[in-house]
Structure formats: C-alpha cells, structure tokens
Amino acid sequence: MSTAPTANASEPNLRQIHDDLVAIARRAGEMMLVATPAARASGSKKNSADLVTETDRAVEAMVLDTLKEKYPDYDFLGEETYVPGKRLTDAPTFICDPVDGTVNFVHGFPNFCVSLAFTNNRKPLVGVIFNPSQNALYTAIHGQGSFLNLTTRLPLTYPGTPPPLSTLSNALCAVEWGSDRSGPNWDCKYKTFRALAGAPSEGGKMVHSLRSMGSAALNFCAVAKGDVDLYWEGGCWAWDVAAGWVILEEAGGLVVDANPGGWEMEVDGRRYFALRGCEGGLPQQKALVEEFWSAVHGKYDYEP
C-alpha cells in the first residue's frame, strides 16, 4: 500500500485509489492461491448453486480493513458484508466482490477473481479485477483508458479499430445460468438462451455460440478485450459488475439494460447487457442491442 496521506472524502484522487486497489487486489490474489482445502470448502447461501467460502470472507475482511484505514470517510459495499436493502448512494464508495466466480474457485476451475471498484455519484470511476490463477490484472480509471496488466491497452486490437458488430448470427455471446433456477426470471433466461442459439427456421438467431465462464466480472473483461462480443445478464449485484463496467466503457464498450427498451441502467439495477467496442461505434452497438432485445423472451424482474 502507498504511504500517501489519508484521502479527503471531498476530493477523490483516482490515480491513488487505482494504485491502492491494485495493491489490495494482488494481496487478495495471494490469499486465493494459498487457500487450503478447508478454506476452499463451501457453504451455501440460498441454494446449492450459491456458494461462499472462508476465503470469500477473509478476503473481504482484508479489503475492508485496509480501505477503512486509508479512506475512513468513504462508504463500502461488499458482497459478504451486504445488508439487505442497502443501495448504492452518491457518496464516494468502494465496492468489493472478494471472490467472483466462487463455484469455479471451489472446483479449481481457473476463472475466478477479486473485483474492486470505486464509485462517486453512483458512477464507476475506478475498476480493478485480478484473476490470480492466470496472473491477469484488468484496470481502468475513468477517462484514462483500460489496461491488461497495466501496460496493454484494451481492447486488444488497440490502437487499431475493433472489428464491426454486424448481426447476432456472427456473435459470440457470454451468458450465465445463475443461482435462481425456477420462477419467471429463470423462464426468461433459458427461453432467451434457446432463442439465441436456435435455428432461424425455428425463430432463433443462431449466434455463433454461447459461453458460460462463471464470473460476471471476468465476463465484462472478456467483452472489454474483445474475446466475446457481448454479455447478457440478470440477477447480478453491483459488486459483480461495477469494476468491469468502467473497464468496459474505457475500452469503448456499452452497458444498457438487459430488458428491452432500457438504454440507461443503474450500477445496482441487477440487469445488464454489455457490448464491446466496434468499428461502427455507438450506432452499430445500438443496432445490435435492438436485434438482441428482439430475442428476449419476457423480462427480468429482480428486487434491488
């Protein structure tokens, strides 16, 4: 951690916050990699697909303690210390997902990360995501671009122009099954998946394929890099997406509502549709959004 003076809550120093979050993320990554089998052992929150480990709790405690010492006037929103009903406010706020991709972490599948963000006026301004199993660090500061391992500018085509976003039939799409496996939101999800993957003769869009990689934060990074074209999600929380949001936007990407018609989306709105940057810019992104929305069956309705 830097030894710079304690921050003034009224004047966030985004570069200092970025550097501090990078140092914290690396510490969190070390904690994940050295976790014992007991620390990886999981309990469940609401069902067998919604897991939590000792490592989740230990990492968040480290993050919270470190940030409160350096930034005592800033708010904190974390997955493991979340109080139901708490919403993101205009106050300067750190947002933490200590282990995003806990199911992957428990199974030893190397696609999990710590996700740390800083928001002000409910807008993500700094994002840091670290996947220690692949030594992949994604970072962004609002207005200053996004990077892989601090030096490689995103998207990976930079400084060249990213390829166009033509039609859904040419798209590689990230999706997740989530932990809600019944009810209207589940119906919306799997019916939309079928519409995306299905043949045109049956009313489907026949996308190139669907990818489910088990981490919302790393899905945002995959879109930012250009590894996948889009990511459609419902049921996530602010800690899943806040860091990835600014990383994606700084790479030329767009975030809108997963439900049709919603061009504006709150960070804690729990419905997200992320698209990569493209040759045609915003008009081309919007055209693909409209095409995707035409494949959505029903709508998501998640309580904040």
Side-chain angles (χ1 to χ4, degrees):
M1 288 293 292
S2 169
T3 57
T6 299
N8 183 333
S10 64
E11 299 178 359
N13 182 330
L14 299 185
R15 172 55 63 180
Q16 185 63 58
I17 288 170
H18 166 277
D19 294 349
D20 289 340
L21 292 183
V22 167
I24 292 171
R26 292 196 184 279
R27 285 182 60 192
E30 292 172 0
M31 293 172 69
M32 293 182 215
L33 292 180
V34 302
T36 65
R40 284 178 177 254
S42 63
S44 61
K45 296 179 182 178
K46 63 184 177 183
N47 59 39
S48 62
D50 188 18
L51 305 182
V52 63
T53 69
E54 289 183 14
T55 304
D56 290 79
R57 298 187 180 102
V59 168
E60 182 158 320
M62 180 275 291
V63 173
L64 177 58
D65 290 347
T66 305
L67 289 174
K68 282 301 182 183
E69 180 178 357
K70 181 71 181 293
Y71 302 93
D73 297 320
Y74 290 177
D75 201 358
F76 183 86
L77 182 63
E79 179 175 13
E80 304 310 328
T81 53
Y82 170 70
V83 177
K86 180 178 174 63
R87 297 296 303 271
L88 185 64
T89 70
D90 288 338
T93 303
F94 288 107
I95 302 179
C96 169
D97 190 338
V99 183
D100 189 50
T102 300
V103 172
N104 289 345
F105 177 69
V106 168
H107 286 273
F109 186 81
N111 202 64
F112 51 84
C113 65
V114 58
S115 179
L116 304 171
F118 175 75
T119 66
N120 200 15
N121 295 314
R122 290 180 288 178
K123 180 176 178 60
L125 300 178
V126 180
V128 173
I129 294 171
F130 183 46
N131 178 351
S133 63
Q134 299 179 11
N135 196 32
L137 177 70
Y138 304 91
T139 61
I141 301 173
H142 177 65
Q144 300 183 36
S146 56
F147 296 85
L148 171 61
N149 291 332
L150 302 177
T151 57
T152 300
R153 186 76 180 259
L154 299 179
L156 293 178
T157 55
Y158 185 89
T161 303
L165 281 169
S166 52
T167 66
L168 274 180
S169 62
N170 291 325
L172 182 61
C173 309
V175 296
E176 295 294 341
W177 296 98
S179 58
D180 293 319
R181 304 291 174 85
S182 63
N185 288 322
W186 171 248
D187 290 343
C188 175
K189 184 168 287 192
Y190 81 76
K191 288 179 180 177
T192 300
F193 290 176
R194 178 171 179 172
L196 292 171
S201 60
E202 297 184 0
K205 297 294 184 179
M206 203 164 182
V207 301
H208 276 177
S209 194
L210 304 179
R211 292 288 181 266
S212 183
M213 297 175 284
S215 164
L218 291 174
N219 285 344
F220 266 78
C221 293
V223 179
K225 283 195 296 180
D227 289 349
V228 297
D229 297 302
L230 59 89
Y231 171 40
W232 183 73
E233 180 62 280
C236 283
W237 299 83
W239 47 79
D240 296 304
V241 304
W245 189 306
V246 64
I247 291 168
L248 175 61
E249 285 192 334
E250 287 299 307
L254 176 70
V255 184
V256 298
D257 196 332
N259 283 345
W263 290 106
E264 300 291 333
M265 194 64 228
E266 298 291 335
V267 175
D268 56 355
R270 305 198 63 201
R271 306 184 308 268
Y272 312 99
F273 182 17
L275 294 90
R276 65 169 173 82
C278 63
E279 183 180 71
L282 187 59
Q284 196 173 87
Q285 289 170 322
K286 286 189 169 183
L288 193 68
V289 168
E290 295 278 11
E291 184 185 3
F292 190 102
W293 279 343
S294 72
V296 175
H297 283 243
K299 66 177 183 179
Y300 285 137
D301 184 17
Y302 290 96
E303 293 185 3

